[in-house]
Every structure is written in C-alpha cells, then in structure tokens.
Amino acid sequence: MTNNWHMLTVVGKDKPGIVASISEALFAAGCNFGEASMSRLGGNFTIMLMVQYEGGTERLEKIIAPIAQTLNLRCHINAIEGQLHAHREPDVRISVYGQDRTGIVAHVTGTLARAGLDIYDLESDVGGSGENPVYIMHIEGHAMRGVDALKEALETEKTPGIETHLEEIDTIIG
Amino acid sequence: MAILEVLTIPDPRLKQESQPVERFDSSLRDFIHDLEQTMRSSPGGVGIAAPQVARFERIIIVDVSRKPKIQSHGRLVLINPEILEWQGMEKGREGCMSVPDYTGNVIRAKTIKINAYDESGQMRSYDCEGYEARAIQHEVDHLDGVLFLDRLVSRRTDLFQRKVYSEKSVAKSD
Ligand SMILES: [Zn+2]
C-alpha cells in the first residue's frame, strides 16, 4: 500500500454527469488522480480510476457512498501498489473483425499468446445489426518473440470470416 | 560541442512560434552541431527542433537512418523548412523529448514534399515518406509551437480502409 494509491472501480447505468460527480467529490476530499480508463460498455458506465488518498480505504468509501447512492452506481475500492511514470511501450497493434464473436476473442488471443504476445491493451466492440453482429477488436502489446512470430501464427491459424491486420508500432521520438 | 538542455512541458516556451533563420554563418553551424549532439544523446531520438532547446529559430534535424528497413535521406538539416505538398494519411505513434513518459497516436501525411535550406544556405528539395515524413512533420510542428499532444487521436480512431489498401501496395512492391 505504498503512496496511498487506490483503484476505484465504478459500474452502473450510464447517464450524463457521472464522471464529473465522482471526480468533483474526490477532488474536494483532497484526492489526487492517476491513470484512468472510462468506457461505455453495452450502455453501462464503467471506469477504473487510480486515486491517491491519505485517509485510507474506509474513508474513501465513505466519500464515494453518497454519490453511488444518488446515481445508483456500484463502486469498489482496492488499495494498490500504484506506480506512475511506468508506461510500457507497445510494439505491435492487431485489429480483428468478423462475425463469430466467441471465436474471435478465444481463438485470436489464444493464438497470439502462444506466439509470444504480451497484451497491454484490448478493446472490443460489437457493430453491425442484431441479426448480423460484427465483432471488432483492437489489441496493442509487445511481441516477446518478435513480430514475425505473430504474423506467422495469424497466417497459420487463419479462420474463415475473420479478418486480422497486424502492424508494427514504430514510435517516433522527436 | 555541448549537449543542450531540452525544454519539457509545461514550459510555455514550447508553444512559441519560431522565426526564420537569416544568417548562415559559423555560429549557426556551431549551434546545429550542438543540436545534433543533443538529438543523438536521447535514446531513440530521430529528430529535434531548435525551439526544444530554447532557440526560437526555424531549424530542425531529422535522422531516421538508424532504424532498419526504412527508406530515408539519412541526416537532414532543414532550415526554414516549408512543406509544399501532403499526401495520404497514416496513424502512427509519437513521443517527444519535450514530453517525457508519454506516447500517443497522431495522424500525419504519408508523403510530403519539402523545401528547406541546408546549413550552408543552399535551398534544397526533398520527397519524404512514411517514418521520415512523420518525423519531419513532428519537428516542423515544434517551429509553430505545436506539440504532438495537440494532435492526439484516440486508440480507436482507425484508418482500416487505408491500411488494407496500403498492405496490398506494400506487397506489390516487394
Ligand atoms: Zn517533439
């Protein structure tokens, strides 16, 4: 529990103003914010937010409780070993889309993991229509055994109806 | 010969516009030497702009030749550079000596045509593409007080159509 970092997870039905309500309350209580990731998933509001607070987990829960009640949100707080300024740079990006939803996640991530992909970031979404859903996924990560190993694996494990695109991330520092 | 101090955010001088170089003399060449040393002292540094070291003149250096498999002009000193033509669009990842511990995605032109003076005051013209073109656009932005942070696009922003197209054209040229 170094540096008093906590991971605050909030889930609930999405409505305007949730982020503002939560962050204003935390800020007023003297919290610092670290990295955060907010998404709207299937009409639900979700956020994971690094919060630095010296007063301990229990008091942090009390700060959040009234807002959670008003906005009908479920909150969870974990004390964590927080660390900022520790970004890892991805060196490969993979986009996948297709019709078979379970197949895409299970098959593609499995194939990539066996070929040495360490996933840093994954986002997936469902587009298309009710009868014809299209599953879309973006992955960024580090190719531990090189990008060619991933390319080969995707090529060998090719599934009909699923398109995969892999590109190297070559970061410019300038 | 010296490694110069690099300004980092939130230094307001990074938002300042730089002025054209008027005298091509030995003090300019000395400065360019130091600027190049500074660029090469940064891990992974492939470009630098004079305002990053608090000299607000339109001078940039780009050298992407240490990256394997990339077409380039080698070491480029571009003074009073002017981008005359932009073509295509590509999303790529950028970091900056002036923005420590953060990288993000930026859309840049794929190919550019550029006019610039060299260190002896000779006007030259270059056609650049891909990684080199991206580095030049990043540095020219510095001359106008623009950081890659001003141009970030989200991870989800994708140029799928274009990627499919460009992969095919790469395959053809192989
Ligand atoms: Zn820069």
Side-chain angles (χ1 to χ4, degrees):
Chain A
M1 220 178 62
T2 49
N3 305 323
N4 302 303
W5 280 111
H6 299 79
M7 188 66 76
L8 168 65
T9 311
V10 182
V11 181
K13 198 165 160 43
D14 194 21
K15 50 178 93 68
I18 297 181
V19 176
S21 307
I22 295 172
S23 49
E24 273 164 11
L26 293 171
F27 182 71
C31 297
N32 283 322
F33 301 138
E35 295 167 19
S37 163
M38 188 227 117
S39 271
R40 199 169 180 273
L41 301 176
N44 293 283
F45 170 88
T46 70
I47 191 167
M48 296 192 83
L49 170 64
M50 277 175 76
V51 180
Q52 197 174 36
Y53 181 62
E54 287 173 7
T57 309
E58 273 173 39
R59 276 173 67 187
L60 192 52
E61 273 164 357
K62 286 195 182 115
I63 296 165
I64 284 294
I67 299 154
Q69 186 142 35
T70 316
L71 295 173
N72 197 17
L73 302 169
R74 267 152 296 149
C75 300
H76 190 79
I77 297 170
N78 287 103
I80 54 161
E81 294 271 337
Q83 210 182 351
L84 296 178
H85 313 292
H87 288 121
R88 292 187 299 178
E89 282 305 312
D91 56 12
V92 65
R93 176 190 305 130
I94 297 125
S95 310
V96 187
Y97 72 93
Q99 302 256 312
D100 173 13
R101 50 192 305 171
T102 44
I104 290 181
V105 174
H107 190 74
V108 177
T109 54
T111 300
L112 292 169
R114 283 188 294 278
L117 178 68
D118 186 5
I119 295 177
Y120 291 174
D121 201 282
L122 183 151
E123 279 174 347
S124 66
D125 217 329
V126 184
S129 64
E131 308 88 74
N132 281 310
V134 179
Y135 207 71
I136 303 130
M137 182 164 72
H138 288 278
I139 305 173
E140 286 185 357
H142 169 50
M144 293 184 291
R145 297 208 294 275
V147 171
D148 288 341
L150 297 179
K151 278 185 189 163
E152 244 169 67
L154 286 177
E155 194 57 40
T156 338
E157 296 288 313
K158 221 170 192 170
T159 313
I162 296 179
E163 290 277 334
T164 59
H165 296 274
L166 178 150
E167 59 178 55
E168 286 181 56
I169 300 176
D170 212 346
T171 305
I172 293 252
I173 306 292
Chain B
M1 197 169 92
I3 288 173
L4 307 168
E5 194 190 329
V6 176
L7 304 182
T8 55
I9 50 162
D11 197 310
R13 289 175 289 175
L14 287 166
K15 307 298 285 178
Q16 191 173 321
E17 196 180 330
S18 292
Q19 300 307 310
V21 170
E22 280 166 9
R23 292 166 55 122
F24 293 82
D25 53 15
S26 64
S27 91
L28 175 71
R29 284 186 286 276
D30 289 347
F31 169 71
I32 285 169
H33 186 83
D34 289 349
L35 188 64
E36 184 172 351
Q37 294 291 115
T38 309
M39 175 185 88
R40 296 196 190 282
S41 75
S42 151
V46 294
I48 194 167
Q52 287 181 279
V53 297
R55 178 149 164 166
F56 301 95
E57 290 188 279
R58 304 186 76 82
I59 305 163
I60 67 175
I61 303 174
V62 166
D63 186 353
V64 301
S65 61
R66 69 163 100 154
K67 292 270 174 183
K69 298 190 287 186
I70 283 171
Q71 264 193 13
S72 82
H73 293 86
R75 172 187 177 274
L76 279 179
V77 175
L78 304 174
I79 300 169
N80 302 345
E82 262 196 88
I83 301 177
L84 305 170
E85 283 176 29
W86 294 260
Q87 262 183 341
M89 282 198 298
E90 199 163 38
K91 185 171 82 169
R93 201 163 195 109
E94 300 184 18
C96 181
M97 275 178 259
S98 300
V99 184
D101 190 48
Y102 186 78
T103 63
N105 293 322
V106 179
I107 292 172
R108 301 283 188 189
K110 222 171 156 183
T111 65
I112 54 171
K113 189 186 247 324
I114 190 162
N115 275 359
Y117 294 93
D118 66 16
E119 34 208 323
S120 61
Q122 186 83 34
M123 169 72 97
R124 292 177 184 277
S125 203
Y126 306 91
D127 291 302
C128 301
E129 61 173 71
Y131 196 77
E132 184 176 55
R134 171 171 297 272
I136 291 171
Q137 291 170 82
H138 177 113
E139 301 311 335
V140 169
D141 264 356
H142 276 300
L143 304 180
D144 297 323
V146 176
L147 299 172
F148 80 98
L149 297 177
D150 298 310
R151 297 194 188 276
L152 287 179
V153 295
S154 93
R155 285 191 304 254
R156 296 172 90 99
T157 307
D158 205 10
L159 298 167
F160 226 109
Q161 289 300 321
R162 182 209 50 74
K163 262 187 242 156
V164 173
Y165 168 77
S166 72
E167 268 171 25
K168 275 179 191 152
S169 60
V170 167
K172 228 181 277 170
S173 66
D174 272 350

